[in-house]
Amino acid sequence: AGPGRGGGGAGPGRAGVDTVCAPAQGGGSAVIDMENMDDTSGSSFEDMGEMHQRMKEEEEEEAEGEAGAGEEEDGEFLGMKGLRGQLGRQVADQMWQVGKRQASRAFSLYANIDILRPYFDVEPVQVRARLLESMIPVKMINFPQKIAGELYGPLMLVFTLVAILLHGMKTSDTIIREGTLMGTAIGTCFGYWLGVSSFMYFLAYLCNAQITMVQMLSLLGYGLFGHCITLFVTYNIHFHSLFYIFWLVVGGLSTLRMVAVLVSRTVGHTQRLILCGTLAALHMLFLLYLHFAYHKVVEGILDTLEGPNVPPFQRVARDIPVVSNAVLNTTAKAIALTL
């Protein structure tokens, strides 16, 4: 031990503490200061805390890395399940789009119905006035006559004509089978109204007449009012002379009304003759067909489709022969004598 700090000698409590002689590598001695070691002992504990904190952080990072790797492995393992989920979402989106399109179509249909609403927005007083006007020919043909652009009155007249045809089939000698044949009557009336209106509109377009399709439907529909009156009267009163009178007077007035309106809206004598002559011929011949040939044609169609109308089998009383009567009388007398 070297000399002490206080007086040259080492005290009892300081011996071996202050300085320690250690052999040096070169044969000398190295002095290690214990006080400095004591001073750095606190920093060593701090370093241990830092190391412990770093170890925790590294463990957390490793745990996060393992979790990410596990998720990647799960994603790879469940790749098919993810694909199915994606397909399910796509199918759901497609179904949603289809439903959306259907809803839009429904709204567009309602919008189309709303577009047709003005053509049926009419008062009963106006319909009655137009029915009366359809039987009165106009005199002024120098300027275009006004045509009602509504379809309520013509549609009701077509249904009325259907009902009159069914009534005529019941009151006539026509044998009705398979119900009242309403489908045939509806097809005939609506076919004439729509078909002839389309044909006349095409012919009016060729003849450069100023008329629209709705106006043509309205004009021809109100022209059926004379047909309804004529058929309703002649189906209940069966006189051919009466029919011809109504055909010329009532049907002729309604036809003249339509012809006068078309003449006022057409320029050129040839065009007027073609257009008005075609309309008058079709309208008057259709009335003749409904009165004379409609029921026979319907009955012929039924016979073709279903066969002739054979009456059902009925029981008929048979006459007993004379021989059998004699045998019965002889047997009865023998039984009476025996008794």
Side-chain angles (χ1 to χ4, degrees):
R5 291 182 180 181
R14 304 286 297 178
V17 175
D18 291 336
T19 59
V20 178
C21 293
Q25 294 180 355
S29 62
V31 180
I32 300 174
D33 192 353
M34 296 302 292
E35 290 181 355
N36 294 332
M37 184 179 292
D38 292 339
D39 293 338
T40 58
S41 62
S43 62
S44 64
F45 283 112
E46 291 176 358
D47 294 338
M48 291 295 292
E50 291 178 358
M51 292 175 62
H52 183 66
Q53 184 68 24
R54 290 177 182 175
M55 290 176 64
K56 282 186 176 181
E57 291 177 356
E58 291 177 356
E59 289 178 357
E60 291 178 356
E61 290 177 357
E62 291 178 357
E64 292 178 356
E66 291 178 356
E71 290 178 357
E72 292 179 357
E73 292 178 357
D74 293 339
E76 294 177 356
F77 178 73
L78 299 176
M80 184 61 67
K81 184 176 181 181
L83 182 61
R84 291 179 180 176
Q86 186 177 2
L87 290 175
R89 288 192 296 271
Q90 291 180 356
V91 171
D93 293 337
Q94 290 179 359
M95 293 178 65
W96 170 257
Q97 294 296 332
V98 170
K100 186 177 180 180
R101 285 195 295 269
Q102 291 179 353
S104 63
R105 288 177 183 176
F107 284 113
S108 64
L109 178 61
Y110 178 76
N112 293 332
I113 294 175
D114 193 48
I115 291 173
L116 295 175
R117 185 177 299 172
Y119 299 108
F120 294 90
D121 188 11
V122 61
E123 296 294 333
V125 178
Q126 296 177 351
V127 175
R128 183 181 62 186
R130 288 166 185 169
L131 289 175
L132 295 176
E133 290 176 358
S134 66
M135 303 297 297
I136 303 174
V138 295
K139 297 180 180 180
M140 302 296 295
I141 59 175
N142 295 327
F143 57 91
Q145 295 293 324
K146 184 179 179 181
I147 301 176
E150 53 95 6
L151 299 176
Y152 176 78
L155 188 64
M156 294 299 105
L157 282 173
V158 173
F159 281 116
T160 304
L161 186 60
V162 170
I164 291 173
L165 289 179
L166 296 177
H167 173 69
M169 294 179 69
K170 290 181 179 180
T171 56
S172 64
D173 296 332
T174 304
I175 299 173
I176 300 175
R177 288 167 291 175
E178 299 294 334
T180 58
L181 301 178
M182 183 179 292
T184 307
I186 291 176
T188 301
C189 297
F190 275 92
Y192 171 77
W193 181 44
L194 299 176
V196 175
S197 297
S198 301
F199 176 72
M200 293 305 302
Y201 173 72
F202 174 72
L203 195 61
Y205 176 78
L206 295 179
C207 295
N208 197 19
Q210 300 176 2
I211 190 170
T212 62
M213 184 64 188
V214 176
Q215 291 176 344
M216 182 60 72
L217 287 170
S218 178
L219 182 65
L220 188 63
Y222 277 110
L224 293 175
F225 181 58
H227 288 36
C228 293
I229 295 175
T230 303
L231 293 176
F232 181 75
V233 174
T234 56
Y235 279 162
N236 293 290
I237 305 174
H238 301 283
F239 291 107
H240 292 297
S241 58
L242 181 64
F243 168 75
Y244 285 119
I245 293 173
F246 272 84
W247 178 67
L248 289 174
V249 176
V250 181
L253 288 175
S254 63
T255 305
L256 284 176
R257 168 74 181 189
M258 294 189 296
V259 167
V261 172
L262 285 180
V263 167
S264 66
R265 289 176 171 265
T266 308
V267 178
H269 297 286
T270 305
Q271 291 84 350
R272 289 178 177 178
L273 182 62
I274 294 173
L275 188 61
C276 298
T278 304
L279 180 60
L282 290 175
H283 202 63
M284 298 297 286
L285 290 176
F286 181 65
L287 184 55
L288 287 174
Y289 167 76
L290 292 180
H291 182 77
F292 291 105
Y294 172 72
H295 304 303
K296 295 180 180 179
V297 170
V298 171
E299 190 173 2
I301 293 174
L302 288 177
D303 292 338
T304 303
L305 296 177
E306 302 176 2
N309 186 21
V310 180
F313 176 76
Q314 297 178 356
R315 295 182 179 272
V316 180
R318 296 181 179 179
D319 296 333
I320 300 176
V322 180
V323 178
S324 59
N325 290 333
V327 173
L328 289 176
N329 293 332
T330 305
T331 305
K333 290 178 181 180
I335 293 173
L337 292 174
T338 302
L339 296 174

